[in-house]
Amino acid sequence: MSVIITANLCKRYGRQEVLHNLNLEIGSGQLVGFLGPNGAGKTTTIRILLGLLRATSGDAHVFGKSVERFGKQIRHEIGYLPGDVHFYSNMTGRATLDFLARCRRRDCRAEILRLADVLDLDLRKSVRKYSTGMRQKLGLIQALMHRPQLLILDEPTNGLDPLVRKSLFEELKSVIQDGRSVVFSSHSLNEVEQLCDQVIILRSGEIVEQQSIEVLKSKALRRVEFAFCEEQLQANSLLQANPLPSALQISSRSPGLIKGTWTGGMEALLSWLQPLQVTDLIVERPDLNDLFMTYYSRQRGLSD
Amino acid sequence: MFSQGVFRKTFADTGTSLVLSAIGLILFVVMFTWAMLHMGTEVLNFVSRVPFIQKIFEMSLGIKVSGDISINVLFAVCFTHGVVMLLIWSVMIATATRVTVGEMEKGTADMLLSLPLNRTEIFVSTSCVWGFAALVLAACPLVGIAVGRQIFITDEVVTLSRFVAPTINLGCLNLAVGSLACMIGTLLQRRSMAVGVVVGVTFVSVVLNFLEPFLESLKPWRFLSLLTYFKPVETVRDESWPVASMVTLLAMAFSFWLIGLIVFRRKDVPAV
């Protein structure tokens, strides 16, 4: 069953189109990474799903219900952490969470205490005295405390130290084990790679990719290095005989050695290399950073 | 239609300033009654002898000033006193813009609007708080007069029942100012700007009311001034009930509030 579905979702501010025909589908029990450069439309999409923004056109459904018509019901089962979380500075952490729990009409006391313990947060302090990291922890507790079916976390690890980050990841993994879903937007690609089953990459208000990380990696740019036999290497004539495929971008060339990047499947690379006498071949597995840069550099290439 | 949680939180946020303002208002009116009891007649006698000052007083009070004004009419002046109006309107504007535009500006609106509450509930719950403030503040001059009468016992007869109509009229005026601030708050993204606009509108209202008796050209526009519908000195002098003015103010209040609600329900809340 899909937790989130959007169909041709558009958002315009005057003439500026922030989202363009966004078609998104996220299944239940998944931990999905939401990636994209600044201004790609990640936060706008999240805010439409929460009813903070109204779509200019198109539909957005969460748990099979329209976000415009059933926003209140939907938000009962959503936990949301904004990218830049703000609280009422005159309240303590505990009072803030009690207020939010009261508005949700849920008894979250036990879960609040457990999460405060896991994330190591003193709830007796005034929010005014909290550091950025402590406010982030408070934001995470309020998002998790009512055990929502869908968690939407915008940059959840901002300001967290590595130990707390680890505890959070374990918490999120347990959320997934319960069959609940998490949408996780982050700039730390390592975190997304470490945690998420699926990645959605947005660019200029459009989805450029929605795949499992493994599938994406197989398609992604790899760093490659070929070494050739000295006597065979009359580099120019060799490469003239076998013209460079477009998937190969050479970054450096020296006698007997070519370094660069390869985009796409390995079969084409191997068939290109076959007539050449290669003495050494290094292909580095791409990480998510490479993957992201592949899409991002394409965008820049287009705009250039 | 109503969230107890939002109401309690908003009430807790504004409660202290409301209580302090109410105490300040009552104290001011108590002092005003003392001053009127001891010096009111002398002041009026003096004013009635200097035509220029007399004119200024008439513009402010809306009635002809002479030495034989009763003590009840003198006390009614406190309802339109600059300090009283300034304090009441400041609290009203601050309270009514607090949740809508104030929370958006601070970034806490994200937290509030992502709760399982619809926007009508939030708007109604917070409106109840500033509506309550409007009524409490409206009652302060009456309470001040009652306390003053109790403390400074004189031979003068002060009839409290004559101040009930201006009190209700002031409540209607406060509701109109609060709902105007609330509406402007939903239309703008910055609280400072919203406060500026409401202060501007109320200031124009005061100026219009002040100049209208002198400038014939302003007469057709007097209906735009909120103070046209609040004449406590006349009300006390004539022992009348300004029902038409009260209804007009309530109609304004409801219209502003309804527009605010419609805008707030559809408003985009961008990231801070």
Side-chain angles (χ1 to χ4, degrees):
Chain A
M1 185 201 161
S2 295
V3 175
I4 297 174
I5 298 177
T6 69
N8 299 321
L9 201 65
C10 291
K11 179 66 186 172
R12 277 191 212 95
Y13 292 108
R15 285 184 176 180
Q16 190 194 359
E17 194 170 47
V18 183
L19 289 183
H20 177 67
N21 289 340
L22 195 82
N23 294 299
L24 186 71
E25 187 162 355
I26 295 174
S28 62
Q30 284 189 333
L31 212 160
V32 178
F34 219 36
L35 292 175
N38 292 337
K42 303 186 295 289
T43 303
T44 302
T45 309
I46 288 173
R47 295 180 88 80
I48 289 175
L49 293 173
L50 286 160
L52 296 172
L53 295 178
R54 295 172 74 89
T56 308
S57 62
D59 295 315
H61 288 80
V62 177
F63 309 125
K65 291 173 181 166
S66 161
V67 294
E68 289 216 3
R69 290 182 59 204
F70 300 99
K72 181 179 169 179
Q73 287 176 37
I74 289 168
R75 287 194 294 274
H76 263 295
E77 289 306 330
I78 293 183
Y80 170 55
L81 174 73
D84 191 9
V85 65
H86 293 271
F87 291 103
Y88 305 105
S89 55
N90 57 336
M91 295 169 98
T92 62
R94 179 78 221 199
T96 304
L97 296 173
D98 285 346
F99 160 64
L100 296 171
R102 202 181 307 125
C103 289
R104 289 192 174 277
R105 294 184 183 138
R106 295 260 179 104
D107 182 4
C108 308
R109 280 174 291 186
E111 194 63 4
I112 286 172
L113 291 177
R114 187 186 71 78
L115 288 164
D117 188 43
V118 167
L119 297 174
D120 188 25
L121 180 68
D122 181 358
L123 294 174
R124 289 166 302 177
K125 273 191 174 179
S126 162
V127 171
R128 192 181 287 117
K129 292 179 182 161
Y130 276 4
S131 65
T132 310
M134 290 164 92
R135 277 202 293 272
Q136 192 74 357
K137 287 179 192 177
L138 187 63
L140 284 164
I141 295 175
Q142 66 79 31
L144 287 156
M145 68 183 186
H146 55 292
R147 300 182 61 77
Q149 287 303 310
L150 171 64
L151 263 171
I152 299 179
L153 308 175
D154 203 350
E155 307 276 338
T157 54
N158 273 356
L160 298 183
D161 63 59
L163 282 175
V164 177
R165 203 173 290 187
K166 190 166 170 274
S167 306
L168 171 66
F169 289 176
E170 278 162 17
E171 196 61 41
L172 293 182
K173 280 175 187 164
S174 78
V175 166
I176 297 303
Q177 278 164 9
D178 290 352
R180 298 184 277 151
S181 313
V182 181
V183 176
F184 180 106
S185 137
S186 176
H187 281 157
S188 169
L189 301 173
N190 286 339
E191 283 172 1
V192 174
E193 190 172 13
Q194 208 178 318
L195 270 179
C196 300
D197 314 314
Q198 282 225 345
V199 174
I200 295 168
I201 299 180
L202 282 181
R203 190 181 67 197
S204 306
E206 291 180 76
I207 294 179
V208 289
E209 202 59 83
Q210 180 173 3
Q211 281 289 358
S212 74
I213 288 185
E214 287 310 313
V215 172
L216 283 179
K217 279 182 180 173
S218 69
K219 288 184 184 178
L221 163 151
R222 290 154 205 265
R223 278 188 285 272
V224 291
E225 210 176 298
F226 324 114
F228 300 97
C229 230
E230 280 285 343
E231 59 273 18
Q232 285 253 334
L233 188 75
Q234 299 297 328
N236 288 337
S237 61
L238 179 134
L239 293 175
Q240 272 162 14
N242 289 288
L244 289 174
S246 58
L248 179 66
Q249 296 289 315
I250 294 175
S251 57
S252 77
R253 188 190 294 185
S254 57
L257 192 69
I258 290 178
K259 286 182 182 178
T261 55
W262 178 267
T263 314
M266 283 290 98
E267 302 81 15
L269 174 66
L270 293 173
S271 64
W272 177 71
L273 288 172
Q274 205 172 18
L276 309 173
Q277 288 198 352
V278 177
T279 57
D280 196 8
L281 167 65
I282 298 170
V283 180
E284 280 181 30
R285 203 164 173 268
D287 59 16
L288 197 56
N289 198 37
D290 296 324
L291 178 80
F292 184 70
M293 290 313 291
T294 308
Y295 287 103
Y296 190 46
S297 58
R298 273 185 215 159
Q299 179 199 19
R300 291 187 63 173
L302 285 174
S303 61
D304 291 345
Chain B
M1 286 291 279
F2 182 81
S3 163
Q4 212 178 53
V6 174
F7 176 81
R8 281 169 63 177
K9 192 216 154 278
T10 314
F11 192 79
D13 285 347
T14 54
T16 312
S17 61
L18 177 62
V19 169
L20 290 176
S21 306
I23 292 171
L25 265 176
I26 292 169
L27 287 177
F28 176 80
V29 175
V30 169
M31 287 190 295
F32 185 86
T33 55
W34 177 84
M36 285 297 114
L37 283 169
H38 289 86
M39 298 177 287
T41 317
E42 288 86 339
V43 169
L44 285 177
N45 282 334
F46 169 73
V47 167
S48 58
R49 287 200 299 271
V50 186
F52 176 70
I53 298 179
Q54 188 180 14
K55 199 77 187 169
I56 298 281
F57 266 66
E58 282 174 16
M59 282 158 67
S60 313
L61 305 179
I63 60 164
K64 190 159 178 63
V65 177
S66 62
D68 58 354
I69 286 181
S70 75
I71 191 71
N72 285 309
V73 174
L74 272 178
F75 275 20
V77 174
C78 75
F79 281 87
T80 48
H81 194 283
V83 173
V84 172
M85 297 312 281
L86 192 70
L87 197 56
I88 289 179
W89 286 3
S90 302
V91 176
M92 286 313 302
I93 292 169
T95 314
T97 55
R98 187 180 189 101
V99 171
T100 48
V101 71
E103 299 247 2
M104 281 177 206
E105 194 175 65
K106 281 190 293 181
T108 46
D110 277 15
M111 207 49 61
L112 196 61
L113 298 177
S114 60
L115 289 168
L117 302 168
N118 62 42
R119 294 197 185 184
T120 307
E121 278 176 283
I122 294 171
F123 197 81
V124 169
S125 310
T126 54
S127 297
C128 286
V129 175
W130 64 252
F132 176 74
L135 302 180
V136 167
L137 294 171
C140 288
L142 180 63
V143 174
I145 292 170
V147 172
R149 190 182 70 158
Q150 204 66 27
I151 297 171
F152 315 115
I153 304 160
T154 64
D155 299 336
E156 303 275 4
V157 179
V158 178
T159 321
L160 278 184
S161 60
R162 287 177 73 175
F163 298 100
V164 173
T167 299
I168 295 171
N169 200 174
L170 181 60
C172 298
L173 178 70
N174 291 350
L175 288 173
V177 172
S179 52
L180 174 72
C182 190
M183 179 189 76
I184 301 287
T186 60
L187 291 168
L188 299 171
Q189 299 289 351
R190 296 263 157 222
R191 190 183 187 190
S192 50
M193 200 183 283
V195 169
V197 170
V198 183
V199 168
V201 170
T202 47
F203 179 73
V204 168
S205 198
V206 171
V207 171
L208 192 63
N209 187 65
F210 190 74
L211 294 180
E212 171 261 313
F214 290 95
L215 297 171
E216 203 60 35
S217 56
L218 289 179
K219 285 218 184 308
W221 304 103
R222 69 192 297 262
F223 75 96
L224 290 174
S225 169
L226 287 169
L227 291 175
T228 302
Y229 309 102
F230 182 58
K231 302 282 184 198
V233 179
E234 275 181 42
T235 305
V236 171
R237 184 195 61 191
D238 304 340
E239 293 186 59
S240 60
W241 275 81
V243 178
S245 293
M246 290 183 201
V247 170
T248 307
L249 286 169
L250 286 178
M252 275 186 196
F254 182 69
S255 309
F256 294 150
W257 185 83
L258 197 61
I259 294 168
L261 174 63
I262 292 165
V263 174
F264 184 65
R265 278 174 57 92
R266 302 189 62 82
K267 190 179 175 84
D268 274 352
V269 182
V272 177

